[in-house]
């Protein structure tokens, strides 16, 4: 059990403004870079109490120092004990959570046609971060979400969950699982105070693609993507598909084989 007196209640906000109902207390996983960091700064600028989580204490502290009022909490979504310690700390500091954004993710290029097959440790770590950790964080956060008058869970999926990038097969499969989980969770919580939102991005220019020599072709600039996300969240919809993410959904239903070839046209043959 975590020391519940370790983190003081943070009641100050970044601006003297009344936040939107869903913006009261926003908890974001994987919040120290890319989409997570971008969303954290956007909500912080709107006056929300933002709880940022990640594995790297130094990066969390630096981000909180740059944005006074953010609450940094170390949490490795792939480690159930870490998730529970972090949630205990958050519960000791906040009355509830109004928005949970499951953003933490990792993408690895894995080639199952190679002579040297991918290591099971790499496969398991990717699944644990992208999917089982997302399910665990959601389940563990539900009591805090239920305490709010209105709350929402936002799962960051991907257009690759509908049409896979074959060079990243495990990542694509985990995002397909995120979509399925979002649909089921939305159905189970339909009579509760909790909305379930699936965010379906296109390729966005973020450190997620750090293993690549350059940003992927047609990658959307992060700021442009964040503008669309915030507008989509404010609209109140259950599904926010942006740019090529929306194209992937439509294409997977109307012309799946054609879109599969287009997305993977630069992939080398086995």
């Amino acid at each position: 059990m975590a020391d519940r007196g370790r983190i003081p209640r943070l009641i100050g906000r970044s601006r003297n403004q009344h936040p939107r109902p869903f913006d009261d207390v926003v908890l974001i996983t994987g919040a120290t870079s890319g989409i997570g960091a971008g969303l954290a700064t956007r909500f912080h600028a709107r006056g929300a109490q933002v709880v940022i989580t990640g594995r790297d204490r130094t990066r969390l502290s630096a981000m909180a120092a740059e944005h006074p009022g953010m609450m940094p909490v170390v949490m490795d979504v792939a480690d159930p004990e870490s998730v529970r310690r972090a949630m205990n700390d958050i519960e000791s500091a906040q009355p509830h959570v109004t928005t949970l954004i499951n953003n933490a993710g990792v993408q690895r290029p894995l080639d199952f046609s190679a002579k040297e097959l991918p290591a099971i440790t790499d496969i398991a770590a990717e699944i644990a971060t992208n999917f089982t950790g997302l399910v665990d964080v959601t389940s563990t956060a539900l009591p805090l979400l239920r305490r709010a008058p209105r709350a929402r869970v936002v799962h960051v999926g991907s257009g690759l969950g509908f049409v896979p990038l074959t060079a990243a097969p495990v990542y694509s499969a985990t995002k397909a699982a995120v979509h399925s989980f979002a649909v089921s969770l939305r159905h189970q919580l339909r009579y509760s105070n909790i909305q379930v939102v699936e965010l379906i991005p296109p390729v966005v220019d973020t450190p997620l693609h750090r293993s690549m020599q350059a940003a992927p072709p047609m990658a959307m600039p992060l700021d442009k993507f964040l503008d669309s996300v915030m507008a989509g969240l404010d609209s109140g919809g259950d599904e926010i598909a942006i740019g090529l993410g929306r194209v992937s959904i439509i294409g997977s239903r109307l012309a799946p084989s054609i879109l599969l070839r287009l997305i993977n046209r630069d992939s080398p043959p086995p």
Side-chain angles (χ1 to χ4, degrees):
M1 178 70 71
D3 180 358
R4 301 174 74 85
R6 190 155 47 114
I7 299 179
R9 170 81 181 274
L10 297 179
I11 57 176
R13 300 188 185 277
S14 59
R15 290 184 178 180
N16 294 323
Q17 62 188 77
H18 183 70
R20 297 165 176 83
F22 284 126
D23 294 1
D24 187 20
V25 181
V26 179
L27 167 59
I28 305 175
T29 68
T32 57
S33 67
I35 291 173
L39 289 174
T41 56
R42 291 295 183 99
F43 278 107
H44 179 262
R46 293 192 346 173
Q49 172 62 68
V50 181
V51 182
I52 53 173
T53 73
R55 295 177 296 181
D56 191 321
R57 186 183 301 276
T58 300
R59 291 173 68 181
L60 286 168
S61 298
M63 189 167 177
E66 185 179 353
H67 302 281
M70 284 189 182
M71 175 180 172
V73 178
V74 175
M75 179 167 68
D76 180 354
V77 300
D79 179 354
E81 288 303 315
S82 176
V83 171
R84 277 144 191 79
R85 286 194 301 269
M87 215 60 74
N88 284 338
D89 287 343
I90 294 166
E91 184 181 12
S92 72
Q94 302 296 341
H96 54 231
V97 169
T98 49
T99 294
L100 165 64
I101 301 179
N102 282 309
N103 167 74
V106 61
Q107 183 186 106
R108 290 190 173 96
L110 299 173
D111 186 357
F112 290 87
S113 70
K115 289 184 179 179
E116 185 176 349
L117 293 172
I120 187 61
T121 51
D122 289 342
I123 297 169
E126 193 165 3
I127 294 171
T129 300
N130 296 351
F131 181 62
T132 54
L134 176 147
V135 175
D136 188 28
V137 170
T138 301
S139 178
T140 309
L142 281 175
L144 279 169
L145 291 160
R146 289 187 173 119
R147 292 178 190 171
R150 297 172 62 198
R152 65 185 170 193
V153 177
V154 181
H155 297 319
V156 179
S158 172
L160 300 181
F162 296 85
V163 181
L165 176 64
T166 59
V170 173
Y171 177 85
S172 300
T174 58
K175 292 304 183 179
V178 168
H179 169 67
S180 179
F181 179 62
V183 172
S184 296
L185 187 67
R186 185 179 300 125
H187 184 80
Q188 290 188 359
L189 298 179
R190 64 194 184 280
Y191 300 125
S192 75
N193 66 312
I194 302 170
Q195 179 191 17
V196 178
V197 179
E198 183 180 8
L199 172 59
I200 305 164
V203 179
V204 182
D205 189 3
T206 72
L208 178 69
H209 309 289
R210 61 176 62 89
S211 62
M212 301 178 67
Q213 293 182 346
M218 300 181 69
M220 179 178 284
L222 180 59
D223 280 341
K224 181 178 179 181
F225 170 73
L226 293 172
D227 289 342
S228 297
V229 173
M230 299 306 287
L233 289 172
D234 289 344
S235 74
D238 290 338
E239 188 176 271
I240 304 170
I242 298 171
L244 291 176
R246 182 170 182 79
V247 173
S248 293
I249 296 174
I250 296 171
S252 69
R253 295 165 182 166
L254 299 180
S257 60
I258 294 175
L259 194 58
L260 180 66
R261 288 197 300 271
L262 288 173
I263 288 177
N264 296 284
R265 66 183 181 275
D266 297 325
S267 298

